[in-house]
Amino acid sequence: MRAVAVGRKIPQFTATGTDGRPWKSGDLRGEKLSAVVVEPLLAAVLKEVPHAFALLAPSDVAPAPRYRLFLETPLDDGRCAALAAEVLAAL
């Protein structure tokens, strides 16, 4: 990780490989997700959703690796779970 900027008093980071270059894609099982794919997908799904923060991140929590949607929103847990399922289905 490398700090790249500070916006609204919050540091912004970019994930980097061992060579110091930014990661262009990631995968858990060979799917090669990239920001070019994920960012427009999140923007489309969350277009009408009030939120201050959204992040799709890999998670290696048992029983199997998966992606988790981190979302800062006033919506209830049920609606958040539905949004996460919609994002993952669109991948």
Side-chain angles (χ1 to χ4, degrees):
M1 297 297 280
R2 180 173 55 108
V4 293
V6 176
R8 291 191 269 165
K9 299 182 182 180
I10 300 170
Q12 298 173 2
F13 296 91
T14 186
T16 58
T18 56
D19 60 2
R21 295 186 314 182
W23 285 340
K24 300 215 186 280
S25 67
D27 68 81
L28 293 174
R29 297 182 181 168
E31 66 282 351
K32 300 293 185 228
L33 290 182
S34 71
V36 173
V37 172
V38 174
E39 288 175 0
L41 183 139
L42 282 178
V45 171
L46 301 176
K47 183 174 152 184
E48 302 295 327
V49 175
H51 67 284
F53 175 83
L55 170 72
L56 187 67
S59 174
D60 60 1
V61 176
R66 66 191 78 214
Y67 290 92
R68 290 188 183 266
L69 177 63
F70 294 89
L71 188 61
E72 184 178 340
T73 181
L75 298 177
D76 63 56
D77 289 347
R79 181 67 178 118
C80 289
L83 286 168
E86 188 176 342
V87 168
L88 294 177
L91 292 174

